[in-house]
């Protein structure tokens, strides 16, 4: 997402029949600019923008948002977006060990705690970065002339942060991909994501632990065997639909296209250097060895309490043993305790994918099972130890739980 | 009913009076008000100098 020009970021553009900001947002205009932003008024330029001026008043939600939105402001202090609980869990597990979670994060070395509280928290996030302006990750700017939007804007808010993976997936930007079928049907983020974004999530390890996270069967959208008129009642689903015993496939295994993976994220903004918009080409490199690339890998689900099915789609996430060296923490002590190929939910769903497309006469199993004439070709859809060894030699132990070698059917060729 | 109407009018008036920053009319380019500049594209193009940077793309 290209940043706005400086003047665009702060322009309150009046429409026809509008004579002031009060015509854009009659309620918030009553508060007055300086009552939230500080500075002085009336005053000349320098005095108006003095040291008391605050660019994002919602960083101090207690003072500026709570007077009218007390309950939301209070619970939002501990929301997933504000606190990045999942990031705290992943750092705690890679530093302290697999048995730890976000509640142990404060026991990590000071360099990690301080780094997250400053660099990560600078984007995770404020009321204004969702409801007034673009977020800090794309350097801000009013979305609707400083109108407070009840529902965040999908492109300018949600996808500004969830850009290199979710947005790219959803819009089909990767070369060879098509847009997600839900995107083509004009569905918005909040059509599925009905979870309370402001809820206190302090008891939640990560976003995948949220109780009200969307599923494919929510709202009766895709219920198996619910009628012949629905495409979900078919022989493939009857064989592969995940059951309560932990068998079957995650929906993504059959219905996702290749998705962005990232390697070697470093802190202090190093990874952003040289970043280019995905869509121009398929490989993007940044500073410190950061790289993005498309891939599709089926892995073994070792946590069936959290995710359905024995087989899941996994994505290489941007972390490395020395990711936080710029914070003064050279190596994560328990890096091998958590896979770097993690469960993923690519937002690039299609009925027909490379796995399910039978238009060339092949069956689904011929497209996917590692047997017969296409065994070698199909093997590239799976996360094997040999693949980890050749491409990610520093992650052999960490990724062992998600590799498929010990779990594929006995008749399959192993790679 | 009349009492309620009057009470509401008084309360609404008090709230408006308490919150009103005291500016009766906004005029584009008026250098004395925040809004005067921020509704004026020409003025902002002249004065806005915040350093622009490459987007991160997010996660």
């Amino acid at each position: 997402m290209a940043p706005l020009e400086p003047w665009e970021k702060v322009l309150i553009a009046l429409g026809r029949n509008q004579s002031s900001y009060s015509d854009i947002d009659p309620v918030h205009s009553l508060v007055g600019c300086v009552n939230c932003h500080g500075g002085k008024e009336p005053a000349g330029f320098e005095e108006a923008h003095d040291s008391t001026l605050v660019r994002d008043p919602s960083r101090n939600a207690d003072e500026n948002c709570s007077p009218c939105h007390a309950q939301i402001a209070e619970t939002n202090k501990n929301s997933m977006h504000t606190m990045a609980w999942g990031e705290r869990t992943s750092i705690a597990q890679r530093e302290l060990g697999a048995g730890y979670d976000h509640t142990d994060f404060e026991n990590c070395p000071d360099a990690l705690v301080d780094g997250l509280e400053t660099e990560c928290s600078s984007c995770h996030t404020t009321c204004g970065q969702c409801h007034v302006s673009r977020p800090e990750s794309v350097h801000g700017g009013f979305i609707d002339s400083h109108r407070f939007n009840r529902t965040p804007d999908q492109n300018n808010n949600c996808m500004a942060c969830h850009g290199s993976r979710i947005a790219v997936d959803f819009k089909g930007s990767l070369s060879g991909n098509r847009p997600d079928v839900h995107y083509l049907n004009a569905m918005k983020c909040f059509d599925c994501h009905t979870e309370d974004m402001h809820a206190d999530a302090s008891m939640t390890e990560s976003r995948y632990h949220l109780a009200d996270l969307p599923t494919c069967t929510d709202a009766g959208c895709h219920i198996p065997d619910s009628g012949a008129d629905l495409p979900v009642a078919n022989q493939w689903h009857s064989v592969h639909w995940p059951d309560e015993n932990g068998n079957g496939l995650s929906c993504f295994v059959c219905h996702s296209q290749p998705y962005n993976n990232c390697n070697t994220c470093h802190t202090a903004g190093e990874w952003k250097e040289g970043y280019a918009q995905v869509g121009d080409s398929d490989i993007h490199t940044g500073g410190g060895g950061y790289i993005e690339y498309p891939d599709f890998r089926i892995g073994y689900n070792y946590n069936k309490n959290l995710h359905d099915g024995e087989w899941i789609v996994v994505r290489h996430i941007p972390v490395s043993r020395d990711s936080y060296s710029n914070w003064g923490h050279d190596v994560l002590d328990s890096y091998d305790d958590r896979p770097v190929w993690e469960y993923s939910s690519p937002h690039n769903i299609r009925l027909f994918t490379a796995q399910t497309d039978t238009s060339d006469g092949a069956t689904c199993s011929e497209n996917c099972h590692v047997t017969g004439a296409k065994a070698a070709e199909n093997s590239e859809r799976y996360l094997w130890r040999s693949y980890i060894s050749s491409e990610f030699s520093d992650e052999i132990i960490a990724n062992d739980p998600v590799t498929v070698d010990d779990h594929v059917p006995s008749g399959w060729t192993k790679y | 009913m009349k009492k309620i109407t009057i009470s509401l009018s008084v309360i609404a008036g008090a709230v408006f009076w308490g919150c009103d920053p005291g500016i009766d009319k906004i005029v584009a380019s008026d250098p004395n008000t925040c809004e005067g500049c921020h509704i004026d594209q020409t003025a902002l193009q002249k004065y806005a100098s915040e350093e622009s940077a490459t987007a991160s793309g997010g996660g």
Side-chain angles (χ1 to χ4, degrees):
Chain A
M1 174 178 283
L4 299 170
E5 293 295 324
W7 62 268
E8 287 180 289
K9 294 180 181 179
V10 292
L11 174 65
I12 297 173
L14 300 179
R16 290 178 65 185
N17 303 320
Q18 291 179 333
S19 59
S20 74
Y21 174 58
S22 62
D23 294 325
I24 294 172
D25 194 327
V27 174
H28 290 93
S29 67
L30 290 174
V31 180
C33 307
V34 296
N35 288 327
C36 287
H37 286 280
K40 286 192 175 64
E41 180 187 50
F45 182 85
E46 295 295 338
E47 196 180 359
H49 299 84
D50 67 10
S51 60
T52 66
L53 187 74
V54 177
R55 182 183 173 197
D56 181 357
S58 62
R59 286 207 177 279
N60 185 358
D62 276 343
E63 189 171 310
N64 294 310
C65 306
S66 279
C68 291
H69 307 281
Q71 187 177 350
I72 285 177
E74 184 61 28
T75 58
N76 190 58
K77 290 176 185 172
N78 284 320
S79 71
M80 191 61 72
H81 275 95
T82 300
M83 293 301 291
W85 295 116
E87 184 64 13
R88 289 166 197 263
T89 294
S90 67
I91 293 176
Q93 292 183 344
R94 292 193 171 98
E95 174 63 20
L96 304 174
Y100 295 85
D101 62 27
H102 63 299
T103 61
D104 304 297
F105 175 73
E106 299 295 329
N107 297 323
C108 289
D110 289 346
L112 294 174
V113 175
D114 294 344
L116 185 136
E117 298 296 354
T118 51
E119 184 171 7
C120 301
S121 295
S122 70
C123 283
H124 281 271
T125 185
T126 66
C127 310
Q129 290 185 51
C130 290
H131 295 284
V132 180
S133 65
R134 290 178 170 191
E136 287 294 325
S137 62
V138 290
H139 306 284
F142 300 157
I143 292 172
D144 287 326
S145 295
H146 202 289
R147 182 178 186 275
F148 284 70
N149 292 319
R150 177 179 290 273
T151 303
D153 182 272
Q154 178 161 298
N155 280 320
N156 288 300
N157 292 120
C158 308
M159 291 182 174
C161 287
H162 301 278
S164 62
R165 285 170 279 188
I166 299 299
V168 164
D169 288 347
F170 206 46
K171 294 180 177 179
S173 302
L174 281 181
S175 176
N177 273 11
R178 298 182 67 191
D180 188 296
V181 66
H182 305 91
Y183 178 74
L184 290 179
N185 280 278
M187 290 180 70
K188 301 290 188 185
C189 303
F190 292 110
D191 288 334
C192 295
H193 287 278
T194 56
E195 62 266 36
D196 182 357
M197 300 288 174
H198 305 111
D200 184 331
S202 56
M203 300 304 291
T204 312
E205 279 182 40
S206 78
R207 67 187 186 280
Y208 285 122
H209 289 77
L210 290 169
D212 51 357
L213 205 64
T215 71
C216 303
T217 55
D218 280 352
C221 287
H222 302 287
I223 300 175
D225 304 323
S226 57
D229 57 328
L230 288 174
V232 291
N234 60 47
Q235 59 178 310
W236 298 284
H237 288 148
S238 66
V239 172
H240 287 311
W241 198 277
D243 64 25
E244 62 273 14
N245 298 316
N247 301 309
L249 313 181
S250 155
C251 303
F252 299 103
V253 168
C254 294
H255 295 292
S256 320
Q257 305 168 82
Y259 40 83
N260 253 344
N261 295 260
C262 315
N263 287 13
T264 322
C265 182
H266 288 247
T267 52
E270 193 180 47
W271 68 284
K272 298 176 185 175
E273 296 170 14
Y275 180 88
Q277 195 119 30
V278 174
D280 301 327
S281 64
D282 279 348
I283 304 292
H284 300 273
T285 57
Y290 176 77
I291 184 170
E292 282 180 6
Y293 55 97
D295 202 353
F296 173 93
R297 293 283 163 177
I298 299 168
Y300 178 72
N301 178 17
Y302 67 96
N303 190 351
K304 296 184 176 62
N305 291 326
L306 189 58
H307 306 297
D308 290 337
E310 183 174 14
W311 303 98
I312 55 176
V313 167
V314 290
R315 186 192 313 255
H316 194 283
I317 66 153
V319 71
S320 62
R321 208 175 285 272
D322 62 349
S323 271
Y324 305 106
S325 58
N326 286 333
W327 289 352
H329 189 77
D330 290 339
V331 171
L332 289 163
D333 284 350
S334 300
Y335 185 71
D336 292 332
D337 275 28
R338 177 173 169 135
V340 184
W341 286 87
E342 293 201 352
Y343 173 87
S344 186
S345 47
H347 285 47
N348 57 15
I349 299 301
R350 305 284 305 183
L351 173 57
F352 292 113
T353 62
Q355 302 88 279
T356 59
D357 183 2
T358 56
S359 58
D360 63 355
T363 64
C364 278
S365 61
E366 287 172 331
N367 285 339
C368 209
H369 293 186
V370 188
T371 55
K374 294 180 73 176
E377 180 182 339
N378 293 345
S379 74
E380 295 180 5
R381 305 192 199 286
Y382 293 82
L383 193 70
W384 304 94
R385 287 194 185 104
S386 58
Y387 178 62
I388 299 292
S389 298
S390 65
E391 302 293 330
F392 309 91
S393 58
D394 190 38
E395 302 173 2
I396 295 171
I397 299 172
N399 288 309
D400 201 59
V402 288
T403 53
V404 300
D405 302 60
D406 297 336
H407 307 283
V408 294
S410 56
W412 284 25
T413 307
K414 292 189 177 181
Y415 284 83
Chain B
M1 178 60 85
K2 194 173 181 181
K3 266 187 178 175
I4 293 172
T5 306
I6 292 170
S7 299
L8 285 175
S9 301
V10 170
I11 291 168
V15 168
F16 184 77
W17 178 81
C19 297
D20 181 22
I23 296 160
D24 295 327
K25 186 177 180 182
I26 304 299
V27 179
S29 294
D30 179 355
N32 287 314
T33 67
C34 305
E35 199 177 327
C37 275
H38 283 268
I39 61 174
D40 188 333
Q41 182 175 329
T42 306
L44 292 177
Q45 285 175 320
K46 185 175 179 183
Y47 288 108
S49 61
E50 182 191 350
E51 190 176 338
S52 190
T54 307
S56 70

Coordinates of all heavy atoms in Angstrom, one line a residue, chain A residues 174-221:
Chain A
L174 N -1.1 -13.0 -5.9 CA 0.1 -13.9 -6.3 C -0.1 -14.4 -7.7 O -1.2 -14.8 -8.1 CB 0.2 -15.1 -5.4 CG 0.8 -14.8 -4.0 CD1 0.9 -16.1 -3.2 CD2 2.2 -14.2 -4.1
S175 N 1.0 -14.4 -8.4 CA 1.0 -14.8 -9.8 C 0.5 -16.3 -9.9 O 0.9 -17.2 -9.2 CB 2.4 -14.8 -10.4 OG 2.5 -15.3 -11.7
G176 N -0.5 -16.5 -10.8 CA -1.1 -17.8 -10.9 C -2.3 -18.0 -10.1 O -3.0 -19.0 -10.3
N177 N -2.5 -17.2 -9.1 CA -3.7 -17.4 -8.2 C -4.9 -16.6 -8.7 O -4.8 -15.7 -9.5 CB -3.4 -16.8 -6.8 CG -2.7 -17.9 -5.9 OD1 -2.3 -18.9 -6.4 ND2 -2.6 -17.6 -4.6
R178 N -6.1 -17.0 -8.2 CA -7.3 -16.3 -8.5 C -7.8 -15.8 -7.2 O -7.5 -16.3 -6.1 CB -8.3 -17.2 -9.2 CG -7.8 -17.7 -10.5 CD -8.9 -18.6 -11.2 NE -10.1 -17.8 -11.5 CZ -11.2 -18.3 -11.9 NH1 -11.4 -19.6 -12.0 NH2 -12.2 -17.5 -12.3
P179 N -8.6 -14.7 -7.2 CA -9.1 -14.2 -5.9 C -9.9 -15.2 -5.1 O -10.5 -16.1 -5.7 CB -10.0 -13.0 -6.4 CG -9.5 -12.6 -7.7 CD -9.0 -13.9 -8.3
D180 N -10.0 -15.0 -3.8 CA -10.8 -15.9 -3.0 C -12.3 -15.7 -3.4 O -12.7 -14.7 -3.8 CB -10.6 -15.3 -1.5 CG -11.3 -16.3 -0.5 OD1 -12.5 -16.4 -0.5 OD2 -10.6 -16.8 0.3
V181 N -13.0 -16.9 -3.4 CA -14.3 -16.9 -3.9 C -15.2 -16.0 -3.0 O -16.2 -15.3 -3.5 CB -14.9 -18.3 -3.9 CG1 -15.0 -18.9 -2.5 CG2 -16.3 -18.4 -4.6
H182 N -14.9 -15.8 -1.7 CA -15.6 -14.9 -0.9 C -15.4 -13.5 -1.2 O -16.3 -12.7 -1.2 CB -15.3 -15.2 0.6 CG -15.4 -16.6 1.0 ND1 -14.4 -17.5 0.9 CD2 -16.5 -17.3 1.5 CE1 -14.8 -18.7 1.3 NE2 -16.1 -18.6 1.7
Y183 N -14.2 -13.2 -1.7 CA -13.9 -11.8 -2.1 C -14.7 -11.5 -3.4 O -15.2 -10.4 -3.5 CB -12.4 -11.7 -2.4 CG -11.9 -10.4 -2.9 CD1 -11.8 -9.2 -2.1 CD2 -11.5 -10.2 -4.3 CE1 -11.4 -8.0 -2.6 CE2 -11.1 -9.0 -4.8 CZ -11.0 -7.9 -3.9 OH -10.6 -6.7 -4.4
L184 N -14.7 -12.5 -4.3 CA -15.4 -12.3 -5.6 C -16.9 -12.1 -5.3 O -17.7 -11.5 -6.1 CB -15.2 -13.4 -6.5 CG -13.8 -13.5 -7.1 CD1 -13.6 -14.7 -8.0 CD2 -13.4 -12.2 -7.8
N185 N -17.4 -12.6 -4.2 CA -18.8 -12.5 -3.9 C -19.0 -11.3 -2.9 O -20.1 -11.2 -2.3 CB -19.3 -13.7 -3.2 CG -19.7 -14.8 -4.2 OD1 -20.7 -14.8 -4.9 ND2 -18.7 -15.7 -4.5
A186 N -18.1 -10.4 -3.0 CA -18.2 -9.1 -2.3 C -18.3 -9.2 -0.8 O -18.9 -8.3 -0.1 CB -19.4 -8.3 -2.8
M187 N -17.9 -10.3 -0.2 CA -17.9 -10.5 1.2 C -16.8 -9.6 1.8 O -15.7 -9.5 1.3 CB -17.8 -11.9 1.6 CG -19.0 -12.7 1.3 SD -18.9 -14.5 1.7 CE -19.0 -14.3 3.5
K188 N -17.0 -9.1 3.0 CA -16.1 -8.2 3.7 C -15.5 -9.0 4.9 O -16.1 -10.0 5.3 CB -16.8 -7.0 4.2 CG -17.4 -6.1 3.1 CD -16.3 -5.5 2.2 CE -16.9 -4.5 1.2 NZ -15.9 -4.0 0.3
C189 N -14.4 -8.5 5.4 CA -13.8 -9.1 6.6 C -14.8 -9.4 7.7 O -14.9 -10.5 8.3 CB -12.7 -8.2 7.1 SG -11.4 -7.8 6.0
F190 N -15.7 -8.4 7.9 CA -16.5 -8.5 9.1 C -17.8 -9.4 8.8 O -18.6 -9.6 9.7 CB -17.0 -7.1 9.6 CG -15.8 -6.4 10.2 CD1 -15.3 -5.3 9.5 CD2 -15.3 -6.8 11.4 CE1 -14.2 -4.6 10.1 CE2 -14.2 -6.1 11.9 CZ -13.6 -5.0 11.3
D191 N -17.9 -9.8 7.6 CA -19.0 -10.8 7.3 C -18.7 -12.1 8.0 O -19.6 -12.8 8.4 CB -19.2 -11.0 5.8 CG -19.8 -9.8 5.1 OD1 -20.5 -9.1 5.8 OD2 -19.6 -9.6 3.9
C192 N -17.4 -12.5 8.1 CA -17.1 -13.7 8.8 C -16.5 -13.4 10.2 O -16.8 -14.1 11.2 CB -16.0 -14.5 8.0 SG -16.6 -15.1 6.4
H193 N -15.7 -12.4 10.3 CA -15.0 -12.0 11.6 C -16.0 -11.2 12.5 O -15.8 -10.0 12.6 CB -13.7 -11.3 11.3 CG -12.7 -12.2 10.8 ND1 -11.9 -13.0 11.6 CD2 -12.3 -12.5 9.5 CE1 -11.0 -13.7 10.9 NE2 -11.3 -13.4 9.6
T194 N -16.9 -12.0 13.1 CA -17.9 -11.3 13.9 C -17.4 -11.3 15.4 O -18.2 -10.9 16.3 CB -19.2 -12.0 13.8 OG1 -19.0 -13.4 14.1 CG2 -19.8 -11.9 12.4
E195 N -16.2 -11.8 15.6 CA -15.7 -11.8 17.0 C -15.6 -10.4 17.5 O -15.4 -9.5 16.7 CB -14.4 -12.6 17.1 CG -13.2 -12.0 16.3 CD -13.0 -12.6 14.9 OE1 -14.1 -12.9 14.3 OE2 -11.9 -12.7 14.5
D196 N -15.7 -10.2 18.8 CA -15.6 -8.9 19.4 C -14.1 -8.5 19.4 O -13.4 -8.9 20.2 CB -16.2 -8.9 20.8 CG -16.2 -7.6 21.5 OD1 -15.7 -6.6 20.9 OD2 -16.7 -7.5 22.6
M197 N -13.8 -7.6 18.5 CA -12.4 -7.1 18.4 C -11.9 -6.3 19.6 O -10.7 -6.2 19.9 CB -12.2 -6.2 17.2 CG -12.6 -6.9 15.9 SD -11.4 -8.2 15.4 CE -12.1 -8.9 14.0
H198 N -12.9 -5.8 20.4 CA -12.5 -5.0 21.6 C -12.5 -5.8 22.9 O -12.3 -5.3 23.9 CB -13.5 -3.8 21.8 CG -13.7 -3.0 20.6 ND1 -14.8 -2.9 19.8 CD2 -12.8 -2.1 20.0 CE1 -14.6 -2.1 18.8 NE2 -13.4 -1.6 18.9
A199 N -12.8 -7.1 22.8 CA -13.0 -7.9 24.0 C -11.6 -8.1 24.7 O -10.6 -8.2 24.0 CB -13.5 -9.3 23.6
D200 N -11.7 -8.3 26.0 CA -10.5 -8.6 26.8 C -10.1 -10.0 26.4 O -10.8 -11.0 26.6 CB -10.9 -8.5 28.3 CG -9.7 -8.7 29.2 OD1 -8.8 -9.5 28.8 OD2 -9.7 -8.2 30.3
A201 N -8.9 -10.1 25.8 CA -8.4 -11.5 25.4 C -7.2 -11.9 26.2 O -6.4 -12.7 25.8 CB -8.1 -11.4 23.9
S202 N -7.1 -11.3 27.4 CA -5.9 -11.6 28.2 C -5.8 -13.0 28.7 O -4.7 -13.5 29.1 CB -5.9 -10.7 29.4 OG -7.0 -10.8 30.2
M203 N -6.9 -13.8 28.6 CA -6.8 -15.2 28.9 C -6.6 -16.1 27.7 O -6.7 -17.3 27.7 CB -8.1 -15.7 29.6 CG -8.3 -14.9 30.9 SD -7.0 -15.0 32.1 CE -7.1 -16.7 32.5
T204 N -6.2 -15.5 26.6 CA -6.2 -16.2 25.3 C -4.8 -16.2 24.7 O -4.2 -15.1 24.5 CB -7.1 -15.5 24.3 OG1 -8.4 -15.2 24.9 CG2 -7.3 -16.3 23.0
E205 N -4.3 -17.3 24.4 CA -2.9 -17.5 24.0 C -2.6 -16.8 22.6 O -1.5 -16.3 22.4 CB -2.5 -19.0 23.8 CG -2.1 -19.6 25.1 CD -1.7 -21.1 24.9 OE1 -1.0 -21.4 23.9 OE2 -2.1 -21.9 25.7
S206 N -3.6 -16.9 21.7 CA -3.4 -16.4 20.4 C -4.7 -16.3 19.7 O -5.7 -16.7 20.3 CB -2.5 -17.4 19.5 OG -3.3 -18.5 19.1
R207 N -4.7 -15.7 18.5 CA -6.0 -15.5 17.8 C -6.7 -16.8 17.6 O -7.9 -16.9 17.5 CB -5.8 -14.7 16.5 CG -5.0 -15.4 15.5 CD -4.7 -14.5 14.3 NE -4.1 -15.1 13.1 CZ -2.8 -15.4 13.1 NH1 -2.0 -15.2 14.1 NH2 -2.3 -16.0 12.0
Y208 N -5.9 -17.8 17.4 CA -6.6 -19.1 17.1 C -7.2 -19.8 18.3 O -7.9 -20.7 18.2 CB -5.5 -20.1 16.5 CG -5.2 -19.8 15.1 CD1 -3.9 -19.5 14.7 CD2 -6.2 -19.8 14.1 CE1 -3.6 -19.3 13.3 CE2 -5.9 -19.5 12.8 CZ -4.6 -19.2 12.4 OH -4.3 -18.9 11.1
H209 N -7.0 -19.2 19.5 CA -7.6 -19.7 20.7 C -8.9 -18.9 21.0 O -9.6 -19.2 22.0 CB -6.6 -19.5 21.9 CG -5.5 -20.5 21.9 ND1 -4.4 -20.3 21.1 CD2 -5.2 -21.6 22.6 CE1 -3.5 -21.3 21.2 NE2 -4.0 -22.1 22.1
L210 N -9.2 -17.9 20.2 CA -10.4 -17.1 20.5 C -11.6 -18.0 20.3 O -11.7 -18.8 19.3 CB -10.5 -15.9 19.6 CG -9.5 -14.8 19.8 CD1 -9.6 -13.8 18.7 CD2 -9.9 -14.1 21.1
A211 N -12.6 -18.0 21.2 CA -13.7 -18.9 21.2 C -14.7 -18.6 20.0 O -15.3 -19.5 19.5 CB -14.5 -18.8 22.5
D212 N -14.7 -17.3 19.6 CA -15.7 -17.0 18.6 C -15.0 -16.7 17.2 O -15.5 -16.0 16.4 CB -16.5 -15.8 19.0 CG -15.6 -14.6 19.5 OD1 -14.4 -14.8 19.5 OD2 -16.2 -13.5 19.8
L213 N -13.9 -17.4 17.0 CA -13.2 -17.3 15.7 C -14.1 -17.9 14.6 O -14.8 -18.9 14.9 CB -11.9 -18.0 15.8 CG -10.8 -17.6 14.8 CD1 -10.4 -16.1 15.1 CD2 -9.6 -18.5 14.9
P214 N -14.1 -17.3 13.4 CA -15.0 -17.8 12.4 C -14.6 -19.3 12.0 O -13.4 -19.6 12.0 CB -14.7 -16.9 11.2 CG -14.1 -15.7 11.7 CD -13.4 -16.1 13.0
T215 N -15.6 -20.0 11.6 CA -15.3 -21.3 11.0 C -16.1 -21.4 9.7 O -17.1 -20.6 9.5 CB -15.8 -22.5 11.9 OG1 -17.2 -22.5 11.9 CG2 -15.2 -22.4 13.3
C216 N -15.8 -22.4 8.9 CA -16.5 -22.5 7.6 C -18.0 -22.8 7.7 O -18.8 -22.6 6.9 CB -15.8 -23.5 6.7 SG -14.1 -23.2 6.4
T217 N -18.3 -23.5 8.9 CA -19.7 -23.9 9.1 C -20.5 -22.9 9.8 O -21.7 -23.1 10.1 CB -19.7 -25.2 9.9 OG1 -19.0 -25.1 11.1 CG2 -19.1 -26.3 9.1
D218 N -19.9 -21.7 10.2 CA -20.7 -20.7 10.9 C -21.9 -20.3 10.0 O -21.8 -20.2 8.8 CB -19.8 -19.5 11.1 CG -18.9 -19.7 12.3 OD1 -19.1 -20.7 13.0 OD2 -18.0 -18.8 12.5
A219 N -22.9 -19.9 10.7 CA -24.1 -19.3 10.1 C -24.7 -20.2 9.0 O -25.4 -19.8 8.1 CB -23.7 -17.9 9.5
G220 N -24.4 -21.5 9.1 CA -24.9 -22.5 8.2 C -24.4 -22.3 6.8 O -25.0 -22.8 5.8
C221 N -23.2 -21.7 6.7 CA -22.7 -21.5 5.3 C -22.3 -22.8 4.7 O -22.6 -23.1 3.5 CB -21.4 -20.6 5.4 SG -21.9 -18.9 5.7

